[in-house]
Amino acid sequence: MSARVLVVGAGPAGLSAAISLLLRGVPVTVVDKAAAPHTHPKAVVLWPRALEVFERLGVAEALVAGGHPLTSQHYHSNGTRVASLTFRMLRHTKYRYALAIPQHVTERVLRERLTGLGGTIRANTELTALRQDATAVTATLTDLSTGEHTEEVHDWVIGADGVRSAVRTAIGVEFTGQTYEQTFLLSDGPCETDLATDAAHYFMTDTGVLVVVPLPGGQWRAFISAPREIPEGEALAATVERVTAARSPVPVRFLDGHTAGRFRIHRRAAEQVWRGRVFLVGDAAHAHSPAGAQGINTGVEDATSLAWRLAGVCLGSSSAADSGRVFAEWAAERHQVVRNVLRDTDLQTRLWGVRGLRRRLRDLVLSGAERTTLLDRVVTPRQTQIDQRYRTAPGRARPVSAGVLRSHARLPNVAIPTTATGTAHLHDFLSMAGPVSLRFDPVGTPGRRTEVRRSTDPETGFDVVSLTGPALRSALGISRRVACLVRPDGIVAAVASHTALETEGEVLR
Ligand SMILES: Cc1cc2nc3c(=O)[nH]c(=O)nc-3n(C[C@H](O)[C@H](O)[C@H](O)COP(=O)(O)OP(=O)(O)OC[C@H]3O[C@@H](n4cnc5c(N)ncnc54)[C@H](O)[C@@H]3O)c2cc1C
């Protein structure tokens, strides 16, 4: 019988994990303690890297159709614009913008995809206990409508059950870090304002921060650090409106129909994201400030970069002996990403609140970074996770580069003029089913267009895509024959000459 995988939590991370596994033909059970999908105001921004992941899950088109593109972020200090970040210099991605889309819409699109693949979500079902041994995991699931407990045995469990993860507690993993002192308030709804509708607006003031983000359908998100004093009895949306008026130099008038919420933010990470047969992804593994909007984006990457490995183990293409190494590599990569995300979001949160001399210094650095294009060259690729690269694991080869290709880094989605389809993007050749060997020959067939041939490597069983033509020189910055092995999550496992890749193939199988 196929391995059984239990996904606890049907938020963006759990849904992404479940869809990825179903796409590989691995059966999954998804449970969620909520009775029905929520409509709370939560995340509103998806970055290009998350959209690339969603493209592989088959939902990017629906998300883009339901979202609103943002092409810049403007930072103001006490009413004066100090810097803007844009996507002008972002290269080799189809998504040169951030997508503003309410989280519940993203989740709806993911749920529809899951259902379309034959998956279901058992609502009203809470994981209340879990124990594991070397061969299986036993989960106690409580039906919240009847109070009945059942025990189910699964081969693997993915804990995607959010910041208060019961899975994390059950496996005894600490969630270390701090909760920030500051409380934040937000309100979503229609507004009347002259603020640009293609940008996110940050207003850093001596009394606190205000972030205003346009959403699809004429809606807006206003997000504030809570003022010291809130008059008793004032409705949350009214507080947000009052503070917004005080911190924004451009009037923002709230129209009827605003929802509002209050929340504390954390800087915490699970000490381990993998223990035995149990994994932690999304907010169960890390919680950080919404500054930089990294939550969903990091969570879906946790989930999908786990899923292809877990599918390999479930379907028997990774041996049992290999599985430990495969999961250790995943955990090491995620720790590295989470450490960076925690550091960046914490820095941004602290920079929001500096005063006096430090404020002037912050503003000078920001405007200098804009002038020298540092923000667009370095910060935008980092924030959008487009420059994603992993440090090499001990014992593995050091990163190798050839033109824009680099091992242990995201495959740039370079557009190539081809003989068959007009234009192909490198990500079009990726496969959820396993690593793909891309072989580039810029010295072969003459002519402007690139010829694409597909085959299977008889040794490794990997799909091989061979691209031949001189256009590869300028597109990829290479002048010799180069091959790279690309994982299903779009990370280049190895860059080498055509024949030298076979050794790395052994490692990925
Ligand atoms: C105000 C705000 C703004 C934000 N803005 C952004 C942004 O712009 N961009 C961004 O990327 N991120 C943002 N985030 C963060 C983002 O919302 C989270 O990172 C994201 O929801 C995490 O997804 P998840 O799937 O890991 O967990 P969740 O979305 O928390 O989902 C967990 C699911 O598990 C279920 N569950 C919990 N316990 C159990 C149990 N014991 N048994 C069964 N089911 C269980 C819950 O019902 C829930 O459905 C924001 C968050 C907030 C609060």
Side-chain angles (χ1 to χ4, degrees):
M1 198 182 95
S2 311
R4 288 159 53 95
V5 181
L6 172 67
V7 175
V8 184
L15 290 167
S16 301
I19 293 168
S20 309
L21 289 166
L22 285 174
L23 282 168
R24 289 294 316 278
V26 176
V28 281
T29 301
V30 185
V31 297
D32 199 292
K33 69 179 181 183
H38 75 88
T39 52
H40 305 311
K42 290 170 107 181
V44 287
V45 174
L46 298 178
W47 295 116
R49 174 70 184 157
L51 290 170
E52 290 183 351
V53 172
F54 284 137
E55 187 168 319
R56 290 199 290 283
L57 301 190
V59 293
E61 212 174 298
L63 290 170
V64 170
H68 173 79
L70 305 176
T71 52
S72 34
Q73 306 176 68
H74 301 307
Y75 282 82
H76 297 76
S77 175
N78 281 340
T80 306
R81 193 193 72 82
V82 285
S84 298
L85 278 87
T86 74
F87 294 81
R88 275 180 307 134
M89 298 175 87
L90 208 60
R91 295 176 65 221
H92 305 319
T93 178
K94 286 184 196 165
Y95 306 101
R96 297 180 71 217
Y97 54 85
L99 191 73
I101 183 166
Q103 181 164 333
H104 63 87
V105 180
T106 300
E107 290 180 18
R108 189 183 67 220
V109 170
L110 289 169
R111 272 198 312 276
E112 284 168 4
R113 178 68 170 144
L114 180 87
T115 316
L117 292 168
T120 53
I121 299 166
R122 270 157 59 189
N124 247 335
T125 306
E126 181 175 15
L127 177 123
T128 43
L130 180 150
R131 61 179 194 279
Q132 61 171 322
D133 59 26
T135 58
V137 196
T138 305
T140 306
L141 299 174
T142 302
D143 182 332
L144 296 177
S145 53
T146 60
E148 199 176 307
H149 307 293
T150 48
E151 283 200 340
E152 280 185 14
V153 179
H154 292 267
D155 294 294
W156 307 96
V157 170
I158 299 179
D161 50 344
V163 74
R164 291 191 189 81
S165 172
V167 174
R168 192 182 61 229
T169 307
I171 59 170
V173 168
E174 293 292 322
F175 201 41
T176 49
Q178 306 91 38
T179 298
Y180 293 82
E181 286 294 314
Q182 177 71 59
T183 301
F184 291 86
L185 308 179
L186 62 79
S187 185
D188 285 0
C191 291
E192 206 172 77
T193 179
D194 286 336
L195 286 172
T197 54
D198 60 354
H201 309 270
Y202 293 79
F203 301 102
M204 302 174 289
T205 75
D206 285 347
T207 58
V209 70
L210 160 71
V211 184
V212 186
V213 184
L215 303 177
Q219 306 279 304
W220 293 77
R221 153 77 48 94
F223 165 91
I224 58 166
S225 51
R228 238 178 255 277
E229 279 164 29
I230 300 179
E232 215 178 302
E234 185 176 58
L236 273 188
T239 308
V240 181
E241 181 174 22
R242 179 171 55 76
V243 172
T244 298
R247 294 181 188 167
S248 169
V250 177
V252 181
R253 197 165 75 79
F254 283 23
L255 305 176
D256 285 346
H258 270 254
T259 54
R262 176 198 304 269
F263 59 98
R264 299 285 301 275
I265 58 175
H266 316 272
R267 182 185 197 275
R268 292 182 185 275
E271 287 197 329
Q272 278 180 275
V273 291
W274 162 54
R275 192 170 272 186
R277 296 181 157 267
V278 181
F279 309 93
L280 299 171
V281 298
D283 279 15
H286 44 81
H288 28 86
S289 157
Q294 299 293 311
I296 289 197
N297 295 271
T298 310
V300 299
E301 184 93 37
D302 295 342
T304 50
S305 63
L306 168 66
W308 69 266
R309 292 170 160 108
L310 183 56
V313 172
C314 292
L315 300 172
S317 52
S318 294
S319 70
D322 270 351
S323 66
R325 188 187 47 73
V326 165
F327 297 141
E329 180 190 67
W330 172 75
E333 289 182 358
R334 296 328 290 166
H335 275 303
Q336 191 189 321
V337 169
V338 169
R339 201 171 41 243
N340 290 344
V341 166
L342 289 184
R343 199 179 45 222
D344 291 358
T345 53
D346 180 60
L347 176 67
Q348 192 171 340
T349 309
R350 285 187 290 112
L351 285 178
W352 280 349
V354 294
R355 311 262 181 281
L357 198 60
R358 293 169 79 191
R359 167 170 62 74
R360 286 205 289 279
L361 187 63
R362 174 198 70 196
D363 297 348
L364 274 176
V365 170
L366 275 176
S367 54
E370 180 195 60
R371 244 192 341 272
T372 56
T373 68
L374 190 79
L375 291 179
D376 287 350
R377 267 185 301 118
V378 178
V379 179
T380 300
R382 187 173 170 94
Q383 185 177 35
T384 55
Q385 301 190 2
I386 281 297
D387 74 346
Q388 189 185 34
R389 53 182 65 178
Y390 294 120
R391 256 205 328 272
T392 325
R396 301 283 299 275
R398 293 180 62 75
V400 175
S401 294
V404 297
L405 306 168
R406 187 180 198 272
S407 57
H408 315 300
R410 167 188 163 274
L411 177 74
N413 197 13
V414 177
I416 313 257
T418 66
T419 43
T421 53
T423 302
H425 289 83
L426 290 187
H427 286 198
D428 301 344
F429 303 123
L430 297 185
S431 161
M432 297 289 283
V436 173
S437 175
L438 297 180
R439 301 181 180 184
F440 303 106
D441 182 355
V443 284
T445 329
R448 261 187 340 112
R449 300 219 159 245
T450 303
E451 197 175 297
V452 181
R453 272 178 297 114
R454 290 170 185 271
S455 57
T456 305
D457 186 312
E459 282 284 305
T460 60
F462 294 158
D463 287 345
V464 176
V465 182
S466 304
L467 297 105
T468 311
L472 295 171
R473 283 174 192 262
S474 55
L476 299 173
I478 55 171
S479 53
R480 61 188 168 90
R481 296 171 78 207
V482 172
C484 62
L485 194 62
V486 190
R487 304 182 337 194
D489 59 358
I491 299 295
V492 177
V495 175
S497 64
H498 283 198
T499 45
L501 268 187
E502 311 307 331
T503 333
E504 192 68 20
E506 283 298 323
V507 176
L508 275 173
R509 241 180 301 172

